[in-house]
Amino acid sequence: MLKAFLITSQPAILSSPIEYLKGVGPQRADLLKKELNIFTFGDLLQHFPFRHIDRTSITNINELTPATEYAQVAGVLLHYEQLGQKSGRRLVAELKDKTGIMELTWFQGLSWVQKMLETGQSYLVFGRVTFYNGRPQIIHPELELLKTVGQGAKNYLEPVYSTTEKLKSKGLGGRQIGKLTQLLMGMVKEKDIPEILPGKIIKEFKLIDRYKAFRQVHFPQTADEYVEAVKRLKLEELFLAQLRMALIRSGRHRYSKGVVFDRVGDLFNRFYRNFLPFQLTTAQKRVIKEIRADTARGRQMNRLLQGDVGSGKTIVAVLIMLLAADNGFQSCLMAPTEILAQQHYNTISALLQKMNIRVSLLTGSAKPAERKKLLQELEEGQLAILIGTHAVIEDVVQFHKLGLVIIDEQHRFGVAQRARLWQKATVPPHVLVMTATPIPRTLAMTAYGDLDYSVIDELPPGRQPITTVHRYESQRSKVMDFLRSEIDKGRQAYIIFPLIEESDKLDYENLMKGYENVKAYFPEPRYRISMVHGRQPAEQKEQNMKRFVEHDTRIMVSTTVIEVGVDVPNASVMVIESAEKFGLSQLHQLRGRVGRGAEKSYCILITGPKLGNDARERIRVLVSTGNGFEIAEKDLELRGPGEIEGTRQSGALNFKLAHIVQDRSLLEIAKNISARLIENDPELNSAENLPLKNFLRMQKGAVLWRKIS
Ligand code: ADP
Ligand code: MG
């Protein structure tokens, strides 16, 4: 008991409120809290420098170039004088070393500075170098009298910290924060930052201890010391994140209650034998097996199913819903838009047509009478499968026995919305989240590490790869000719325009202009065109969409509202206008709208004549590969984790030091260590792991042991 208590008690100094640090006080403390989330001494220590200024060496004046940032120079003061009038008033001094002369300039505190200056004396000078009239100068340098020229440099690496304009205005610039940190580090003793990682890990990966790592990340003596410290702290950070999620997952595996689907019954078997329209791919079979195992053991399933566009996730959903029905449970399939919900409904009710099972659709536009009937049937349990939009999460929607929730195209649903769904049953239903936006492995590990994970990494056989090409606007008439030849063969085509914000007037005008342009190439009545965009009333949108789905119109001019999930196998050409304005994953999603049928399909990316480097790279990647996972990795690399859709609010990605792209290999190591640890000691109860457990307990958003679902 006593031992556990000793380990648990937080070293007091690190939890001290930041206002008590000398030089901070209540006002600055408020700002530090608001601007940088620094509440305690410990938080300040975790505000890591983003770089260091090298003060271990002295630079010769003739080596200063416009590319030099900060420099330390030693020399003799030749002379100084005040120049200019009123607001242009300044103090200018000349400093000479054995290689040249530079200027030092002050605009403020002139008389005070002037008192420190003495011609003929030697000074050590430090600051940001700028060039003025071809001469190097430092404005407001740090200045120190030297006894003799040639006396040493400052001999340390000075940390620089990120800060904000507001903090700067209160005297807390990046270097001042460094002063505070230095003060704090002087007060912190080794016992205040005890080791939390098990000794085995420290040894295996040759890590320096925790206290040393904190000291060296801020105030390294050498560049190597910094590297050592960063390695240790990054690994710790990634490891803790992995461990936290692994604990949530293993906690769910062990303690959550879940409904049991242990029977493969008549519905599943009959459908599988008689009505499956094709042979399942190996990947589909594997995923179904994984889900079956997961739903049979009496724990709640929380699983992410990833599969590239067209990989065949729908049939997996259908089979699992039949499994639920075989075990006496209802299922709910939720899609992000009405069009998608409708399409799922059409597909699924056609697949299940000859089966004795009730499927219904609930969207916001359901008529009151239908709706009432549907809700009643749902509550009484006659309805086995409900397909719908977010309308299904409303409180009036009550299930008889909900056992399974499937969410398609997950990133459009918030976590809170999902939670409302599984509150609809006393025992939480199994949850399967399906996404067609491939998530890079590293992201999946960090953002969704608490979920179990299945992947369909294989496309159904016989798919022809989509030919992707890049064309400039000047070549548009050729593109249109090609389009016409495809349409005259009976195919359909999409022409997509960017509309980033529905309110963006310019984008909207471009869309309208584009539409007129397309109409000129494809005159009615010979050609019929649908147009869909976000400003249309829902009904009109649906109507236009429907005409295209039913082959009544041959061309779909649209914004990205059709981005996700729409399935028109006869469409064989995807033209994307201003392709440079789209993100990589989005382009890939759009391209996935074609190549769904037996016909050879094409994706044509039209851009303006001038492309930035990133845009050029995006186009290059898209033209060179059709693999969604490769594309997602590249997207992550180009944009960084914060910009990937659906992960923006994910706290799991807020690393202080580590970067999930650059530090991939460390992330892998962290994942392996955490998996090994949990396997050997699932509750971290061994003496060696206890410090770690206690540390996790005291963190913000701590893992709730045994209360996980
Ligand atoms: P997504 O994973 O993008 O939701 P879908 O489930 O819509 O993909 O499937 C895309 C198309 O592939 C559909 O037309 C579907 O009928 C077909 N499909 C799915 N699985 C197979 C398979 N194993 N063999 C042949 N076609 C398949
Ligand atoms: Mg789908």
Side-chain angles (χ1 to χ4, degrees):
M1 267 323 275
L2 184 62
K3 190 171 161 218
F5 172 74
L6 284 178
I7 293 169
T8 319
S9 64
Q10 167 83 290
I13 182 166
L14 293 188
S15 42
S16 309
I18 193 67
E19 57 249 53
Y20 299 139
L21 187 63
K22 198 164 170 255
V24 177
Q27 263 196 351
R28 286 169 151 191
D30 271 353
L31 266 187
L32 282 169
K33 289 174 201 170
K34 274 199 206 103
E35 300 282 302
L36 295 177
N37 248 326
I38 295 175
F39 287 78
T40 62
F41 287 14
D43 292 340
L44 181 63
L45 274 196
Q46 292 195 60
H47 186 60
F48 298 114
F50 64 91
R51 66 189 193 110
H52 288 85
I53 299 169
D54 186 356
R55 300 195 66 173
T56 58
S57 61
I58 291 177
T59 310
N60 288 329
I61 290 176
N62 70 352
E63 289 165 31
L64 300 174
T65 73
T68 313
E69 286 188 272
Y70 287 89
Q72 189 161 241
V73 176
V76 179
L77 193 73
L78 288 184
H79 91 289
Y80 59 86
E81 61 181 321
Q82 291 204 17
L83 299 172
Q85 297 297 323
K86 291 189 183 151
S87 64
R89 208 169 171 73
R90 61 195 188 276
L91 175 64
V92 179
E94 279 187 322
L95 189 80
K96 177 183 184 305
D97 71 3
K98 56 184 189 295
T99 69
I101 295 175
M102 72 180 299
E103 270 180 17
L104 309 175
T105 307
W106 291 264
F107 296 100
Q108 272 150 25
L110 304 192
S111 52
W112 182 75
V113 175
Q114 202 166 318
K115 270 189 216 142
M116 306 197 334
L117 299 181
E118 195 178 325
T119 328
Q121 275 290 355
S122 295
Y123 292 88
L124 181 68
V125 164
F126 174 80
R128 188 191 283 278
V129 177
T130 52
F131 269 70
Y132 184 70
N133 286 338
R135 277 180 96 185
Q137 67 163 351
I138 295 178
I139 295 169
H140 286 241
E142 274 179 30
L143 196 70
E144 198 177 313
L145 198 62
L146 284 181
K147 301 269 156 32
T148 52
V149 182
Q151 182 188 327
K154 278 291 204 183
N155 202 27
Y156 60 86
L157 294 164
E158 183 181 321
V160 188
Y161 298 84
S162 61
T163 183
T164 65
E165 286 308 318
K166 277 200 185 138
L167 281 165
K168 271 189 205 156
S169 74
K170 293 280 179 221
L172 286 178
R175 299 183 64 209
Q176 281 90 341
I177 291 180
K179 300 249 153 66
L180 291 179
T181 307
Q182 192 166 24
L183 179 73
L184 175 58
M185 203 68 228
M187 297 155 59
V188 171
K189 300 283 169 303
E190 212 162 332
K191 68 164 175 40
D192 298 323
I193 307 183
E195 189 51 74
I196 55 171
L197 296 181
K200 266 188 242 147
I201 295 179
I202 301 271
K203 240 196 229 133
E204 183 177 348
F205 296 95
K206 300 194 177 64
L207 303 176
I208 58 171
D209 72 53
R210 197 156 194 261
Y211 169 74
K212 213 168 151 192
F214 269 96
R215 215 185 51 214
Q216 291 183 15
V217 77
H218 292 286
F219 306 105
Q221 293 295 318
T222 62
D224 284 349
E225 281 197 2
Y226 178 73
V227 171
E228 260 180 350
V230 166
K231 176 185 161 197
R232 144 87 214 207
L233 292 173
K234 276 184 178 173
L235 188 66
E236 172 183 313
E237 186 173 40
L238 292 168
F239 167 70
L240 291 175
Q242 291 294 306
L243 188 63
R244 233 177 248 128
M245 282 188 290
L247 283 168
I248 292 175
R249 199 168 64 207
S250 84
R252 190 179 64 244
H253 288 169
R254 282 174 308 138
Y255 302 117
S256 75
K257 280 221 168 11
V259 294
V260 181
F261 298 172
D262 57 354
R263 191 158 20 125
V264 181
D266 184 49
L267 289 166
F268 187 99
N269 284 329
R270 207 147 48 84
F271 180 78
Y272 202 95
R273 281 194 212 113
N274 305 327
F275 303 115
L276 204 58
F278 35 67
Q279 268 230 310
L280 295 183
T281 61
T282 314
Q284 283 168 324
K285 282 186 197 155
R286 186 189 61 237
V287 166
I288 289 166
K289 231 187 193 160
E290 285 166 358
I291 296 172
R292 267 179 50 190
D294 205 4
T295 52
R297 61 169 151 235
R299 305 291 175 209
Q300 189 210 11
M301 173 177 78
N302 232 317
R303 184 171 288 271
L304 179 68
L305 171 57
Q306 266 203 77
D308 210 340
V309 273
S311 61
K313 293 182 290 295
T314 315
I315 198 75
V316 172
V318 169
L319 283 160
I320 302 304
M321 291 194 291
L322 291 176
L323 183 69
D326 271 337
N327 287 276
F329 288 96
Q330 293 170 300
S331 304
C332 174
L333 171 64
M334 198 154 81
T337 64
E338 290 222 355
I339 294 172
L340 281 179
Q342 176 77 50
Q343 216 169 56
H344 272 314
Y345 175 72
N346 295 348
T347 310
I348 293 170
S349 45
L351 281 169
L352 300 179
Q353 199 180 18
K354 301 219 174 91
M355 304 272 304
N356 186 22
I357 184 168
R358 290 282 306 282
V359 183
S360 283
L361 174 70
L362 179 65
T363 66
S365 55
K367 307 244 166 7
E370 279 169 37
R371 191 183 157 86
K372 193 163 164 235
K373 182 159 162 275
L374 184 151
L375 290 179
Q376 194 179 346
E377 287 175 352
L378 191 66
E379 208 163 343
E380 287 169 2
Q382 289 125 286
L383 249 186
I385 296 178
L386 180 68
I387 296 172
T389 55
H390 51 269
V392 302
I393 61 177
E394 285 165 26
D395 290 334
V396 292
V397 180
Q398 290 297 329
F399 291 81
H400 177 62
K401 243 177 121 182
L402 178 63
L404 171 68
V405 172
I406 299 180
I407 301 172
D408 198 13
E409 311 300 353
Q410 167 264 346
H411 56 268
R412 309 223 165 169
F413 280 109
V415 175
Q417 286 174 308
R418 268 190 273 160
R420 272 182 75 184
L421 252 178
W422 58 84
Q423 279 157 15
K424 290 183 184 292
T426 33
V427 176
H430 298 302
V431 178
L432 182 68
V433 170
M434 306 199 296
T435 168
T437 309
I439 303 165
R441 196 184 135 65
T442 44
L443 251 191
M445 271 160 60
T446 42
Y448 302 100
D450 57 328
L451 301 183
D452 291 295
Y453 175 74
S454 291
V455 54
I456 307 184
D457 48 7
E458 168 186 15
L459 291 180
R463 291 277 164 82
Q464 299 193 44
I466 302 165
T467 298
T468 304
V469 296
H470 172 207
R471 295 285 180 264
Y472 292 102
E473 279 161 7
S474 54
Q475 299 164 294
R476 186 179 286 117
S477 65
K478 278 219 169 112
V479 172
M480 291 299 153
D481 289 345
F482 174 71
L483 216 58
R484 184 177 293 126
S485 72
E486 281 292 298
I487 289 167
D488 289 346
K489 278 192 247 166
R491 306 283 99 76
Q492 288 167 281
Y494 296 95
I495 304 176
I496 307 296
F497 286 82
L499 193 64
I500 316 305
E501 296 281 343
E502 292 300 347
S503 57
D504 193 322
K505 233 173 124 189
L506 197 68
D507 278 348
Y508 186 70
E509 277 166 17
N510 282 342
L511 169 71
M512 290 305 159
K513 243 192 272 162
Y515 177 58
E516 291 306 322
N517 200 19
V518 174
K519 273 211 302 207
Y521 274 103
F522 298 96
E524 291 179 317
R526 180 162 156 67
Y527 298 98
R528 286 187 301 279
I529 306 173
S530 275
M531 178 164 66
V532 171
H533 59 79
R535 287 192 182 182
Q536 289 166 330
E539 234 163 83
Q540 197 181 341
K541 234 187 305 192
E542 297 279 316
Q543 184 59 29
N544 286 332
M545 196 62 226
K546 204 164 153 232
R547 288 183 64 198
F548 186 70
V549 172
E550 290 168 357
H551 301 196
D552 178 24
T553 55
R554 287 311 180 83
I555 301 175
M556 165 62 79
V557 174
S558 137
T559 60
T560 48
V561 290
I562 61 120
E563 184 183 337
V564 182
V566 188
D567 189 27
V568 182
N570 187 49
S572 68
V573 190
M574 166 63 63
V575 178
I576 304 175
E577 292 276 358
S578 305
E580 69 270 32
K581 292 195 187 167
F582 292 87
L584 204 40
S585 295
Q586 206 180 11
L587 288 171
H588 179 65
Q589 280 290 317
L590 286 167
R591 176 168 62 180
R593 297 308 104 215
V594 297
R596 304 173 85 82
E599 308 302 333
K600 170 86 191 140
S601 294
Y602 304 86
C603 174
I604 303 169
L605 308 169
I606 300 186
T607 70
K610 285 215 174 93
L611 291 178
N613 283 345
D614 275 6
R616 186 178 304 279
E617 180 64 3
R618 288 198 295 272
I619 305 279
R620 188 193 67 73
V621 171
L622 209 74
V623 168
S624 68
T625 179
N627 182 320
F629 287 91
E630 258 175 56
I631 288 170
E633 290 286 350
K634 195 71 200 180
D635 202 18
L636 179 63
E637 227 169 84
L638 286 174
R639 292 199 294 173
E643 291 303 310
I644 304 291
E645 197 169 358
T647 60
R648 216 155 300 175
Q649 313 97 315
S650 172
L653 297 175
N654 293 337
F655 293 120
K656 290 202 155 86
L657 277 174
H659 186 284
I660 66 164
V661 178
Q662 279 134 30
D663 298 317
R664 285 182 237 239
S665 50
L666 272 183
L667 181 60
E668 287 287 342
I669 293 174
K671 184 187 154 88
N672 293 339
I673 314 175
S674 99
R676 220 186 328 154
L677 200 77
I678 296 260
E679 198 176 302
N680 294 330
D681 183 12
E683 298 209 351
L684 309 185
N685 283 335
S686 73
E688 190 181 41
N689 293 333
L690 221 47
L692 188 57
K693 179 171 185 168
N694 287 318
F695 182 83
L696 285 173
R697 270 183 169 156
M698 288 178 311
Q699 295 299 294
K700 290 174 197 160
V703 177
L704 300 174
W705 303 83
R706 290 190 178 246
K707 248 211 101 221
I708 296 157
S709 75

